[in-house]
Amino acid sequence: MEYRRLGRTDIEVSAVCLGTMTWGEQNTEVEAFAQMDYALDQGVNFLDTAEMYPVAPHAETYGRTEEIIGNWLAARGRRERVIVATKIVGPGSRFRYIRDGKPRLDRKNILAAVDDSLRRLRSDYIDLYQLHWPDRNVQAFGRLGYEHDAAADEMPLEETLAALNEAVSAGKVRAVGLSNETAWGVMRCLALADAGTGPRTASIQNPYSLLNRSFETRLAEIALREDCGLLGYAPLGAGTLTGKYLDGRRPPGARLTLWPDNKRYQGPQAEAAIRAYVTLARDHDLDPAQMALAFVFGRPFLTAAIIGATDMTQLETNIAAASLRLSPEVLERIEEIHKVYTYPCP
Ligand SMILES: NC(=O)c1ccc[n+]([C@@H]2O[C@H](COP(=O)([O-])OP(=O)(O)OC[C@H]3O[C@@H](n4cnc5c(N)ncnc54)[C@H](OP(=O)(O)O)[C@@H]3O)[C@@H](O)[C@H]2O)c1
């Protein structure tokens, strides 16, 4: 397993970060424990969760994934072996059940959310505390373009960063990171940190896969020049890059079978791109999932890829992909396909 420095902190994380958002919904606590035990045995030391998880989010399961991780940390001990990343939700009208229905990235919400996550995680500290999405109008979750709304009710980054600073100073948070962020947001946070407001952003947790390489346009440069690497989420495009949904197939129990309204990785462009990548993998005797993951693991701006699995076979396949090197020929073909299907799933 390869380990990389998280931003400019002294934290070393494995290139494989284990995603957790299925735990408490598609996966039981027993299954989650087995995933964490296996991943640690393979050298993975990095877990990504969120107060909002599991997905799909709802009031009854809110915080459940953090609780599962907390139970595992308590059962296994040796907290320091694991780097735990979690996230605070940004604003959203559907979160009526979170902090009186008014989740924002303000001081009150941040300090309360940190304490609640610590309680659920049964830990004295969070290694990486991330803003799940910005508290301003941005292009994220399937949107590429930007439409400015001068009247939007937005939280000043200064307030958010000052509150994060308090959590760091109190010893509750070791490092902070952004998620679903734009080039403007990352540069602004870095500039504020340089000027003394808030901790320096250590990472950018954004989507990244063969189906969504939008990170490369602006953020890749920032990641490399500023030591603020990508934690790439949905590296398999929610599982679609395995090819298992092609031609209308809907495997029982799989994510898009359970939640067909999740359209981010569906549609004609996506289907054509997925078919091209799956065919390429098969032509080179590669597992399509492993080829897709190996591509992500090989990117120079990546700190870690956040993988997800709902069973142990998937988990074994996906962790093994971290040591797979793609041939120059496969990489070249990937670029050719990318030129045809550039942003099938932003
Ligand atoms: N910051 C954010 O906004 C954000 C958003 C999304 C995710 N994340 C983080 O990133 C993590 C990973 O995201 P993701 O789950 O969307 O990643 P993904 O790698 O795109 O999809 C993982 C899903 O694909 C299926 N799968 C995985 N490996 C497979 C294999 N070898 N063969 C067949 N199917 C396979 C499984 O679902 P099925 O078995 O149900 O098919 C699995 O849950 C999350 O757990 C979370 O920590 C963050």
Side-chain angles (χ1 to χ4, degrees):
M1 180 62 59
E2 229 186 283
Y3 299 88
R4 297 165 185 180
R5 189 169 295 274
L6 185 69
R8 292 185 185 164
T9 72
D10 59 358
I11 301 172
E12 293 276 333
V13 294
S14 50
V16 177
C17 177
L18 181 58
T20 64
M21 73 182 193
T22 58
W23 305 350
E25 180 72 50
Q26 275 179 284
N27 289 116
T28 63
E29 177 163 294
V30 170
E31 290 166 343
F33 274 37
Q35 286 201 19
M36 286 184 273
D37 288 338
Y38 176 78
L40 251 73
D41 274 353
Q42 301 303 306
V44 174
N45 75 346
F46 195 14
L47 300 176
D48 177 69
T49 192
E51 63 163 329
M52 188 191 93
Y53 294 168
V55 295
H58 44 91
E60 294 70 33
T61 57
Y62 166 65
R64 182 74 191 117
T65 309
E66 285 188 334
E67 282 168 1
I68 290 173
I69 295 169
N71 293 342
W72 180 83
L73 289 170
R76 299 292 185 267
R78 298 180 56 200
R79 165 71 181 84
E80 72 290 347
R81 280 188 308 172
V82 200
I83 304 302
V84 179
T86 191
K87 319 181 194 80
I88 176 174
V89 299
S93 53
R94 64 183 169 144
F95 298 111
R96 291 202 181 84
Y97 51 92
I98 301 180
R99 292 183 288 282
D100 302 326
K102 296 186 195 77
R104 298 294 302 261
L105 298 180
D106 58 11
R107 180 176 184 276
K108 190 171 160 215
N109 270 283
I110 289 174
L111 298 185
V114 166
D115 284 344
D116 287 345
S117 284
L118 286 173
R119 179 178 43 76
R120 287 187 293 260
L121 290 166
R122 300 170 72 174
S123 178
D124 299 333
Y125 63 92
I126 294 161
D127 296 281
L128 177 67
Y129 198 60
Q130 306 160 105
L131 308 175
H132 207 149
W133 55 89
D135 192 335
R136 61 176 209 283
N137 176 37
V138 288
Q139 67 275 40
F141 302 117
R143 287 166 57 205
L144 255 191
Y146 176 67
E147 285 163 33
H148 192 61
D149 177 2
D153 174 19
E154 303 180 334
M155 187 59 53
L157 281 171
E158 287 82 348
E159 169 156 354
T160 303
L161 289 177
L164 290 173
N165 222 15
E166 273 189 60
V168 172
S169 300
K172 296 177 179 180
V173 165
R174 293 179 71 195
V176 303
L178 303 171
S179 181
N180 297 298
E181 205 24 294
T182 66
W184 183 86
V186 177
M187 286 310 295
R188 192 77 197 116
C189 285
L190 290 169
L192 285 166
D194 284 347
T197 304
R200 192 174 200 279
T201 300
S203 53
I204 311 164
Q205 181 174 149
N206 273 24
Y208 189 77
S209 70
L210 290 171
L211 296 175
N212 184 356
R213 294 173 56 178
S214 53
F215 191 87
E216 292 171 33
T217 58
R218 304 278 182 271
L219 286 161
E221 180 182 4
I222 298 173
L224 286 162
R225 289 190 192 278
E226 298 291 340
D227 301 318
C228 188
L230 169 66
L231 305 181
Y233 77 70
L236 289 177
T240 57
L241 282 162
T242 63
K244 67 185 179 182
Y245 298 106
L246 284 175
D247 302 311
R249 286 200 299 270
R250 290 295 177 267
R255 188 182 304 174
L256 299 188
T257 308
L258 296 173
W259 295 286
D261 292 340
N262 181 346
K263 297 283 184 231
R264 196 166 172 189
Y265 297 97
Q266 300 188 64
Q269 273 278 320
E271 175 99 358
I274 292 162
R275 191 181 305 284
Y277 289 120
V278 168
T279 304
L280 171 65
R282 299 233 162 94
D283 286 349
H284 288 79
D285 291 325
L286 293 167
D287 175 284
Q290 288 195 321
M291 184 191 83
L293 291 170
F295 172 77
V296 176
F297 282 120
R299 308 309 278 167
F301 44 80
L302 183 96
T303 298
I306 314 178
I307 61 163
T310 58
D311 65 43
M312 294 307 286
T313 309
Q314 291 179 5
L315 186 62
E316 287 165 23
T317 304
N318 299 354
I319 292 179
S323 47
L324 177 69
R325 298 287 169 266
L326 298 178
S327 69
E329 193 192 339
V330 169
L331 290 169
E332 214 172 285
R333 276 292 297 140
I334 285 175
E335 289 314 306
E336 285 166 16
I337 297 170
H338 177 58
K339 278 196 191 106
V340 180
Y341 306 106
T342 306
Y343 298 115
C345 310

